Amino acid sequence: MQEEHQQIVTLNNQDYPVTISGTGCKDLLIIGLGTLMHRTLSDEFRQHFKVFSTDLYWAQEHHNTQPSLDHLAQDVILLCQLLNLNQPYIMAHSAFGPLALHAAKLFPSAFTGIIMSGSPPGWNPTLIAKNDADFQTDADPSRKALDAKYRASMSQDDMNGLNPYQRFLTTYCDLDRARYWYNPNYDARPLWKGLTVNMPLFTHYFDTLLPAYRITDDMNKVTCAVFLAAGLHDYDCCPKSRWMELKQLPRHFTLAEFLQSGHYPHFE
């Protein structure tokens, strides 16, 4: 691991730590759960980029738990200004990809490029049903058997006995692992050690903001380069299939499929 240091930024009257690492000449800001991404980036990656990562209010309670998507995008820009980042690259994992693109629509000259990893073009019941159908069709029998085993390992009573974050983590790391990882037995809990998600904000983002968001709207305003890393075995988001269904993509869009990866191709 390369050397790193921290800087404190004050956003909306609240202090947040920002971890800075890497020796590259290109500035890159991770949005969303920066701690999770920081733990899954390689030293080789950090040779190309100077990486700024922070969880902001995604991992802390915040006075505004029901912001608009515009508000979240504006905070990305404000964070860049606080860190003196001039047209950085933005990196977003999973469902934070749409937020990165929305920020690029609102502020077309703000970023040099966007790197998305395992990002779907949205999150709503229709997409979730398509992803499940793809899993049932495309996953091999042994993976589907493991998925059924994991899901049967926790009763509903057991789940009801957990607090909202514990239920989220149990579902993400235990019950859904065969849908997230190339190795369906992978234990992701160490990646989440010490990290507690702001569940009211997460619930608002996934259940309210993303279902109402039409990612193809104003897509022509995304003028920077956009790169998407998609794992073949990402059965939670099925990013390649879902993006290829769109009638309009960013004008400078590159998709690379990683055959021995799931939801974390940059890591696996």
Side-chain angles (χ1 to χ4, degrees), residues 72-98:
L72 294 173
Q74 289 162 2
D75 279 352
V76 172
I77 300 302
L78 182 55
L79 183 58
C80 291
Q81 294 171 351
L82 293 170
L83 293 169
N84 294 317
L85 302 180
N86 181 29
Q87 292 186 311
Y89 286 84
I90 296 294
M91 188 170 192
H93 177 245
S94 190
F96 292 108

Side-chain angles (χ1 to χ4, degrees), residues 129-139 235 238 241-242 245:
K130 286 184 177 181
N131 296 341
D132 182 68
D134 282 359
F135 176 75
Q136 302 303 334
T137 300
D138 298 337
Y235 297 107
C238 301
S241 297
R242 300 293 82 86
E245 291 171 351

Side-chain angles (χ1 to χ4, degrees), residues 14-226:
Q14 189 162 338
D15 293 341
Y16 300 101
V18 179
T19 299
I20 304 169
S21 62
T23 57
C25 60
K26 306 167 186 175
D27 290 337
L28 179 142
L29 175 65
I30 298 172
I31 65 171
L33 292 176
T35 295
L36 193 62
M37 291 296 289
H38 180 76
R39 291 172 177 172
T40 54
L41 292 179
S42 68
D43 284 346
E44 182 179 0
F45 185 89
R46 291 183 174 89
Q47 291 174 6
H48 297 275
F49 295 96
K50 185 177 181 180
V51 179
F52 297 77
S53 58
T54 179
D55 299 319
L56 289 185
Y57 36 66
W58 296 100
Q60 295 186 43
E61 288 293 343
H62 187 257
H63 67 277
N64 185 4
T65 56
Q66 292 192 331
S68 67
L69 205 60
D70 284 358
H71 177 93
L72 294 173
Q74 289 162 2
D75 279 352
V76 172
I77 300 302
L78 182 55
L79 183 58
C80 291
Q81 294 171 351
L82 293 170
L83 293 169
N84 294 317
L85 302 180
N86 181 29
Q87 292 186 311
Y89 286 84
I90 296 294
M91 188 170 192
H93 177 245
S94 190
F96 292 108
L99 174 57
L101 287 177
H102 189 62
K105 294 174 185 178
L106 295 182
F107 306 94
S109 62
F111 313 126
T112 294
I114 294 172
I115 301 171
M116 299 188 296
S117 182
S119 293
W123 194 253
N124 57 58
T126 299
L127 293 180
I128 293 170
K130 286 184 177 181
N131 296 341
D132 182 68
D134 282 359
F135 176 75
Q136 302 303 334
T137 300
D138 298 337
D140 61 67
S142 61
R143 183 179 291 272
K144 286 191 281 190
L146 276 174
D147 182 69
K149 175 184 175 182
Y150 294 146
R151 293 176 183 280
S153 65
M154 289 284 289
S155 70
Q156 189 58 54
D157 286 343
D158 290 335
M159 293 294 283
N160 290 340
L162 303 176
N163 65 42
Y165 179 60
Q166 290 171 333
R167 286 197 296 273
F168 165 79
L169 198 63
T170 297
T171 301
Y172 194 101
C173 295
D174 301 334
L175 309 189
D176 285 351
R177 67 173 74 181
R179 302 190 184 213
Y180 276 115
W181 299 95
Y182 172 68
N183 172 7
N185 293 300
Y186 184 76
D187 180 9
R189 280 187 177 266
L191 297 177
W192 293 80
K193 185 178 180 180
L195 182 60
T196 302
V197 166
N198 181 348
M199 290 306 298
L201 177 57
F202 253 56
T203 300
H204 175 65
Y205 185 67
F206 280 90
D207 293 353
T208 301
L209 297 185
L210 287 182
Y213 186 56
R214 287 169 47 89
I215 199 166
T216 52
D217 289 351
D218 297 322
M219 191 71 89
N220 62 308
K221 293 182 179 179
V222 180
T223 57
C224 65
V226 178

